[in-house]
Each structure stands twice: as structure tokens, then as C-alpha cells.
Amino acid sequence: MRLKIMARLDLDNSDLPASDIDPGPLKLEVVQGGDMAHRLICGDNLLGLRALAKSEVRAHLAYLDPPFFTQRLHQRVERNRNRKTGRIERTETPAFDDRWPSLDHYLLTLAERIRATRDLLTNDGSMIIHVDPATSHYVKVLCDEIFGPEAFANEIIWRYRRWPAKTPNFQKMHDVLLRYRRDPKVKPRFVQLYEPLAASTRATWGDRKQVADIDEQGHRRRSLKTAEPSPGAPLGDVWELSVIAPVAKERTGYPTQKPEKLLRRLIESCSYEGDLILDPFAGSGTTMAVAAKLGRRSIGIDASDEAIDVASARLRAANVELRCERVVSSSAKNDAHSRRSS
Amino acid sequence: MRLKIMARLDLDNSDLPASDIDPGPLKLEVVQGGDMAHRLICGDNLLGLRALAKSEVRAHLAYLDPPFFTQRLHQRVERNRNRKTGRIERTETPAFDDRWPSLDHYLLTLAERIRATRDLLTNDGSMIIHVDPATSHYVKVLCDEIFGPEAFANEIIWRYRRWPAKTPNFQKMHDVLLRYRRDPKVKPRFVQLYEPLAASTRATWGDRKQVADIDEQGHRRRSLKTAEPSPGAPLGDVWELSVIAPVAKERTGYPTQKPEKLLRRLIESCSYEGDLILDPFAGSGTTMAVAAKLGRRSIGIDASDEAIDVASARLRAANVELRCERVVSSSAKNDAHSRRSS
DNA sequence: GCAGTTAATGAATCGCATG
DNA sequence: CCATGCGATTCATTAACTG
């Protein structure tokens, strides 16, 4: 018996939307703004990524937050106080559709976008893809195929707390973020962050660095306390960060919005000031907002009008100078604009 | 372009050790002990599992802690004080070999053992396999194939703290445990455990239970405090437990030994008193030792003499009555005993 | 008895030396 | 030049000891 686990990629166009196969020549049409540090592109992200690939633009970090294969239509929730009754009323509008004919369709769509993202990275850049524990395994096999297994850098666990579900099972309380380097042979962009020392370490060693001590015979003795203060322990790959509270200021109403703290940590450790951050699933614009706060440049892409509205409002409220663009393909049938207004 | 991620299982015996293909009739030969609650079997675990399958024995929980594909030979470390010098001296002996021709060989070996383990589970039983984040994804694809994706219950993250490695990367600080149910249609064995409430919850709600409150119009109002003390939050799937300290009493010197706290949590929540716990990669016998403490029965299998020695000494020291057995196959070439004494 | 201090050391990763 | 291997690094943990 032989076994092989792999992502099999065969040529067969029949399952793909026409726009994925040959959208004709692509162009980015400026809707508003000049040569800004932050660009928000409206359109299918595969087309957007391919249009960007033709320019000189290369990103140092890409963050992908695709749909999680929930098989649900996700709604945006707006909250407004009714003038007459004084009660808060909720309005729901469709934000994005996460329903798929099959897992294979989902993975294939993702694979195309991961590959297109990889082509836009600098050699010392990396990609982080945010997924669910139920699909992360398939996505990792996919990424191993696209980047090569040596390029795998981390499985980051984002652990959060939420209202418990009543189930005879351990409560699902984490997301998975996979990080891949574009070229594992190149010295990576990385800024060492620290987390607080463990309580047991502080009790024994205080907040000073330890150093190993080896005697003349080469035997190891007890480590020594130094006078040098410790910056903490180098940051690990399990992060405990709270989800956005239902009443937090940060909350835009856009579904599946990720907390700014999470993006801050990713961007601070995997990019330098002035670097370009790419987010092909821009959603409510969290990545771009955090990139702006941290002095990075950014490009966000999203096909949903809801997303573009929420993100541009959010960024403008934060005084981020924004250039808005639209993906235009020469073939009228696949024109992002015509689909938008349909 | 089409894509399919799957575990492909083709018939081709050439890569397998002869004993995996047809070991001939299998028998468990009693080396020592009578009809005890705890059985330690020496021999290849695939043969051991197949021999068990012929008996009526079925396990309620199986814990698998296979090698992690480290491509290293792992050593057992014994420590003894030298009478003359008074210094502690270390003796290293090979414990198990985790070197493989390829990832596929590793996965195939694992697949056979997972399948054999599944065949030994009760319908309401489950299997937990302990793996590394670098291979967990492939193992999950494998298990989805063997158990079916609906049988997937949890990805448990064991987060620990250790000394930092010097690397421009997030420190690897977690293991992955995958849990599958034998039959997802059957009510599972599960005991709800709790963890302490989050600090923010205690600050707002104290240590009493909250209840949702909905008014006559169906609008949700602020939740209410109750008088009933909260048992804590239902246990999640990210567990922070320390690794065995270098000087802990628990430490046997056997490599990759897992902490008793981890096994205690798994056994307490996924089995009942009197249940049978199966560990085909018994190693230093942690699973069996914890099972005994928790009033469960156990069967452990290991091919390594080092493991059998360490585990039986450990269990006897804990006053666990033990029956020792040996897998015997009729084909002399594959006889576990002849290999042991070679 | 209890608290505080001292002791011992695992093993991931990089970098440099050695063959 | 490439592969191999050893040394340096340093936080975390519990046991043993001390007052």
C-alpha cells in the first residue's frame, strides 16, 4: 500500500468562473486620489493581484483573511437609534457570500489567490493566511505545494475567549494563522517582539537576564543572574488576544472583523517602517488602518461594495490619505464595474 | 485547473516492512502476571493492535503519541552520581529511531496504525493523536480519510513555555492533538471540565452564573446575575500546561515524555471510571500510569526494550499490578522476540 | 511548617569550525 | 564548497535546601 498526500493540480477550466481564466488585459482605473501611500482597489482580488503584478509594486508582507468555508451568507450589521421609539435598531445587509459548491471549489479559488499573492512578494517578504481549524489542514497542504515546505515559518494560534457553546466537546476557541516566507534562503524581515516572563521565572530569577555558566572542565554549572534587565521572553506562536467586544469602538459592523491588536503584532514583527502591506481580502480595512498607524504603506482589495464603503469611511475618519481604484478588464462581460452596478 | 487534496492509498507492498504485510497468525504470549487491569505488550504496535483485534477487547479512548518526524535518533538519559568524584554522570542509550526515508513513509506507517487503532474503539469511543505543527496538517488529512471528516472533534493546542531558540521567527511553543470520534452519530463519552473564568469576566460578573434576559417583544436585554456560583468556563481547546521540568520527579529520562497533567485532562474528559485506555506508543508509560491513578484500565504497546523497562519499573513503583505480554507471530523472521534479543 | 533561596538542566536554533 | 557537528545561547520549571 502506498500513500501520497498532495495538492493535485490538473488543468481543467470547466469549474472556474470565466474571469479567472482569461479576463483579457487588466487595468487599474483611478476613481479618486493621487499617488498615495494607501490604495483601496475595488474588484475581484484575483484580477486585482494580476493587475498589480504587471506594475513594479512588491509587498513585504501579505495578510490574507479569506472566508472560512462556513457555507453561510455573512451580513453586515448597522446599529441606529430610532428617533421615535428611542430603541436601537439593527439593519442587516449582505456583506459577503461564503457558500460554495464543494470544499474543492473553495480550495481551488483560494489556491489561485495564494499563488497570485506569492508573485507579489519581495524575496525577504512573507505571507500570513488566517484560517479556521476545520480547513487549516487543507490550506497548509496547498501552501506547502505553492511555497514549498521549507518556506513554512509558523503556525500561529490565536486564542480568544467567547460565549461557550453547549456541546459535549472541548470548546473551539482558536484560529490558525499560517506564515510562509517567499524565499527561505533569504534573510527574513523580522523584528523580535517580547512577551512578559512567566510567573515562575520572575519568582526565581527576577526580571534580569540569565546566562549559562560552564566551568574549566566544560561542565555546566547553575546559570547566573546578570545585572542586565530582561526584555521578556521572545514572542511565541500562541497569542491570547480578545475578540472585538460587541460594543467596542473599533467595531465597524462588518462581519468577521479582526482585532487591530492582532494585525499590529503581525505587521510590527514581519515588516519595517515604510514597507508595503498587501491585503487581498480587505473587508472592513483593519489591515490598512493598522498599517497606516504603524507608518507602513498598504494596498487593499475587495470585491464587495459594502467592504469598500466601510473601509474607505473608516480610513478617511482616521485621516488616512487614500487612493481608490477599480479593476477594469477589457472584456466587457467580466468588467468589475459592470458587475458592481448590476 | 482542478485541485484535489486527498490521501491517496494505492496498493503497492514494496515499501513496507515484511511484518506489516503478512506476519502470519499472531498471538499474545504472557510473560508475567495474570488477568490484570493493566497490560503492557512488547512488540511492533501494528502487530499488537491486530492481535488485540482478534480478542473481544475494545477501548473507550486511544491516545497515540507517535514520533514527530524529527529525523533524529532519540536517546534515553540516565543520571547517576559517581561515587568517587561525587559528580552526576549521564549515560545515553538509544530509545527510539525517528529517522525516515521520506514524509510519505512516515505517514504510511502512521496510517496503518491509526486504522488498526480505530478498529479497536467502541462506538462511543475516541482517538487522540499527538503531533507536531509541522506534520499535523498531513496527519489530519489522513485521519479525515480514515475516520471521515464528520468524525473530527477537536484540534487541541497544547501551549507550553520553554527556553527560547535564537531565530528570526516566532518561537514554536505548541503541540497539536487531534481528536476523532469512532462514530459521530453515537452520543460520545464526555465529562465536562471547567477552567477558571477570565479576569475580565470575574471583574464584571463576579463568580456567579449569568443568564440571558429577553423582554416580551423578543429584544435582548442586559444579562442577569444569578445567585448560583459558576463552575468556571467550559474547558476550551487551547491548554497551557508546563513541560516536565529537567529536575521534576516525574521525569523518567525517556525522551519526549509527556506530562501527567496533560494525560489526566484527556482521560478525565474523554472516558469514565473503569473504561479501557489504549496507548499503542506507550513509551515511558505515562498514559498507563495516569489511567491507573484515575481508576481506568489500560493497554500499552511498545517495541522498544528501553520503553518496556522504563514503563514497567514506573508502574511497579506506583504499585500498579501489571501483566506483561509479547507479540508472537508464527513466521520466525518477523518474530518480535527474535528481534528483541538480536 | 512555610517561605524564600539555591541548584540543576532540557533541547531549538544559529553560527562557526572542522573535514 | 558542502555537509556535519559541536558550542553558545537563555527562559522555565521543580526539587532540595536553608532559615
Side-chain angles (χ1 to χ4, degrees):
Chain A
M1 201 143 77
R2 277 178 82 91
L3 160 145
K4 181 114 188 137
I5 296 184
M6 56 175 302
R8 224 183 330 131
L9 299 150
D10 305 323
L11 225 64
D12 176 353
N13 289 330
S14 58
D15 285 343
L16 275 183
S19 58
D20 279 18
I21 303 159
D22 180 20
L26 294 167
K27 215 176 63 179
L28 292 172
E29 189 182 275
V30 178
V31 175
Q32 193 206 338
D35 189 17
M36 309 293 194
H38 300 275
R39 300 167 60 181
L40 187 57
I41 299 170
C42 182
D44 181 319
N45 51 11
L46 185 57
L47 304 187
L49 290 166
R50 287 184 181 164
L52 285 169
K54 283 183 208 142
S55 69
E56 296 293 291
V57 160
R58 291 299 176 267
H60 303 97
L61 174 66
Y63 171 76
L64 276 69
D65 185 22
F68 278 10
F69 193 66
T70 56
Q71 296 290 23
R72 280 208 297 266
L73 176 69
H74 290 264
Q75 307 276 346
R76 174 184 169 200
V77 180
E78 267 181 300
R79 243 174 281 267
N80 289 300
R81 193 173 291 273
N82 183 308
R83 289 277 164 99
K84 278 186 215 163
T85 65
R87 197 170 256 135
I88 287 163
E89 285 177 352
R90 295 154 52 101
T91 330
E92 295 198 347
T93 36
F96 67 90
D97 198 347
D98 188 16
R99 294 172 297 189
W100 304 85
S102 74
L103 180 61
D104 286 351
H105 278 83
Y106 169 77
L107 292 172
L108 177 54
T109 307
L110 214 50
E112 293 283 351
R113 277 134 188 102
I114 293 169
R115 197 194 299 279
T117 300
R118 179 182 175 277
D119 293 343
L120 278 173
L121 290 176
T122 60
N123 283 336
D124 61 354
S126 60
M127 180 200 78
I128 296 165
I129 183 162
H130 191 142
V131 285
D132 184 85
T135 52
S136 69
H137 309 81
Y138 296 101
V139 177
K140 166 130 201 292
V141 177
L142 215 62
C143 290
D144 273 8
E145 189 74 19
I146 295 170
F147 284 85
E150 333 74 52
F152 175 61
N154 296 104
E155 178 183 71
I156 298 166
I157 304 296
W158 171 32
R159 187 251 214 273
Y160 45 80
R161 287 163 195 276
R162 55 161 177 76
W163 191 264
K166 205 177 172 184
T167 168
N169 206 347
F170 303 110
Q171 303 282 331
K172 276 172 198 150
M173 298 277 209
H174 73 275
D175 283 7
V176 174
L177 290 90
L178 303 171
R179 188 165 84 91
Y180 281 82
R181 293 162 60 182
R182 163 73 202 243
D183 183 347
K185 290 190 290 294
V186 172
K187 187 176 168 286
R189 297 176 105 74
F190 192 76
V191 177
Q192 182 65 66
L193 301 184
Y194 296 88
E195 53 186 317
L197 296 175
S200 68
T201 304
R202 265 201 321 282
T204 316
W205 299 93
D207 49 9
R208 307 279 136 171
K209 281 190 179 174
Q210 308 170 32
V211 278
D213 184 33
I214 288 139
D215 68 16
E216 305 78 47
Q217 283 93 53
H219 286 109
R220 176 138 172 225
R221 287 190 297 219
R222 168 177 99 85
S223 297
L224 301 172
K225 289 186 190 184
T226 65
E228 213 181 331
S230 166
L235 188 60
D237 57 2
V238 182
W239 301 353
E240 188 154 348
L241 298 170
S242 52
V243 289
I244 302 173
V247 292
K249 265 192 209 152
E250 195 182 314
R251 186 174 275 264
T252 60
Y254 197 83
T256 73
Q257 187 188 345
K258 301 300 179 290
E260 294 200 2
K261 269 189 189 170
L262 178 68
L263 269 298
R264 171 178 284 269
R265 202 174 265 194
L266 294 171
I267 293 174
E268 274 188 331
S269 45
C270 300
S271 73
Y272 304 150
E273 265 201 58
D275 278 4
L276 179 62
I277 316 294
L278 173 67
D279 185 351
F281 297 88
S284 59
T286 308
T287 308
M288 297 180 72
V290 175
K293 282 186 192 172
L294 295 175
R296 272 71 165 170
R297 295 172 294 131
S298 74
I299 300 179
I301 314 177
D302 210 295
S304 140
D305 287 349
E306 287 294 313
I308 298 290
D309 290 350
V310 171
S312 56
R314 175 185 191 171
L315 291 163
R316 268 193 275 269
N319 292 317
V320 176
E321 298 211 327
L322 199 61
R323 165 170 168 165
C324 293
E325 289 158 274
R326 193 159 53 208
V327 187
V328 178
S329 104
S330 63
S331 122
K333 209 168 52 181
N334 304 314
D335 186 344
H337 182 237
S338 69
R339 268 199 284 163
R340 262 195 80 175
S341 43
S342 74
Chain B
M1 198 143 78
R2 278 178 83 92
L3 160 145
K4 183 111 186 138
I5 297 183
M6 56 176 300
R8 223 182 331 132
L9 300 150
D10 305 324
L11 225 64
D12 176 353
N13 288 330
S14 59
D15 285 343
L16 276 182
S19 58
D20 280 18
I21 303 161
D22 180 21
L26 293 168
K27 216 177 63 179
L28 291 172
E29 189 182 276
V30 179
V31 176
Q32 191 206 338
D35 190 16
M36 311 292 195
H38 300 274
R39 299 168 61 183
L40 186 56
I41 299 170
C42 183
D44 181 319
N45 51 10
L46 185 57
L47 304 187
L49 291 166
R50 288 184 182 164
L52 285 168
K54 281 182 211 145
S55 70
E56 294 294 291
V57 159
R58 291 300 176 266
H60 303 97
L61 173 65
Y63 170 77
L64 277 69
D65 184 22
F68 279 8
F69 193 65
T70 56
Q71 298 290 24
R72 279 208 297 265
L73 176 70
H74 291 265
Q75 307 276 346
R76 173 184 170 202
V77 179
E78 267 182 298
R79 236 176 289 269
N80 289 300
R81 194 173 291 271
N82 183 309
R83 290 276 165 98
K84 278 186 215 164
T85 64
R87 199 171 254 138
I88 287 162
E89 283 176 356
R90 298 156 49 100
T91 329
E92 295 198 348
T93 36
F96 67 89
D97 199 347
D98 188 16
R99 293 171 297 189
W100 306 84
S102 73
L103 179 62
D104 287 350
H105 278 83
Y106 169 76
L107 291 172
L108 177 54
T109 306
L110 215 48
E112 295 284 351
R113 275 128 190 107
I114 293 169
R115 196 194 301 278
T117 299
R118 179 182 175 277
D119 293 343
L120 278 173
L121 290 177
T122 62
N123 283 337
D124 62 352
S126 59
M127 179 201 79
I128 296 166
I129 182 162
H130 190 142
V131 284
D132 184 86
T135 52
S136 69
H137 307 84
Y138 294 97
V139 176
K140 165 126 199 299
V141 176
L142 215 62
C143 290
D144 273 8
E145 189 75 18
I146 294 170
F147 283 85
E150 334 75 53
F152 175 61
N154 294 104
E155 178 184 72
I156 298 165
I157 304 297
W158 171 32
R159 185 252 213 275
Y160 46 80
R161 290 164 194 274
R162 55 160 177 77
W163 69 98
K166 201 179 172 184
T167 173
N169 206 349
F170 302 110
Q171 303 282 331
K172 273 169 202 155
M173 297 279 208
H174 73 274
D175 284 6
V176 175
L177 290 89
L178 303 171
R179 188 166 84 91
Y180 280 82
R181 293 162 59 183
R182 163 72 201 243
D183 183 348
K185 291 188 290 292
V186 172
K187 185 174 169 289
R189 298 176 105 74
F190 191 76
V191 177
Q192 182 65 67
L193 302 183
Y194 296 89
E195 54 187 317
L197 295 174
S200 63
T201 306
R202 265 202 321 282
T204 318
W205 298 94
D207 49 8
R208 307 279 134 173
K209 279 189 181 173
Q210 311 167 30
V211 280
D213 185 34
I214 287 140
D215 68 17
E216 305 78 47
Q217 282 92 51
H219 286 109
R220 172 109 181 257
R221 287 193 297 221
R222 180 195 294 260
S223 299
L224 300 172
K225 290 185 189 185
T226 66
E228 212 181 330
S230 165
L235 189 59
D237 57 2
V238 181
W239 300 353
E240 188 156 347
L241 299 170
S242 53
V243 289
I244 302 174
V247 292
K249 265 193 204 151
E250 191 184 333
R251 187 175 276 268
T252 60
Y254 197 83
T256 72
Q257 189 188 344
K258 301 300 179 290
E260 294 200 3
K261 271 189 188 168
L262 177 69
L263 270 299
R264 170 178 284 269
R265 200 174 267 194
L266 294 170
I267 293 174
E268 274 188 333
S269 46
C270 300
S271 74
Y272 303 150
E273 266 201 57
D275 278 4
L276 179 62
I277 316 293
L278 173 67
D279 184 351
F281 296 88
S284 59
T286 307
T287 308
M288 297 180 73
V290 176
K293 282 186 193 172
L294 295 173
R296 272 70 166 169
R297 294 172 295 129
S298 73
I299 300 180
I301 314 177
D302 211 295
S304 139
D305 288 348
E306 289 293 316
I308 298 290
D309 290 349
V310 171
S312 55
R314 175 184 190 172
L315 290 163
R316 269 193 272 268
N319 292 316
V320 176
E321 298 212 327
L322 198 61
R323 164 169 167 166
C324 293
E325 288 157 276
R326 194 161 49 207
V327 187
V328 178
S329 106
S330 63
S331 123
K333 207 167 57 179
N334 304 312
D335 187 343
H337 181 237
S338 70
R339 266 199 285 163
R340 262 195 80 174
S341 43
S342 72

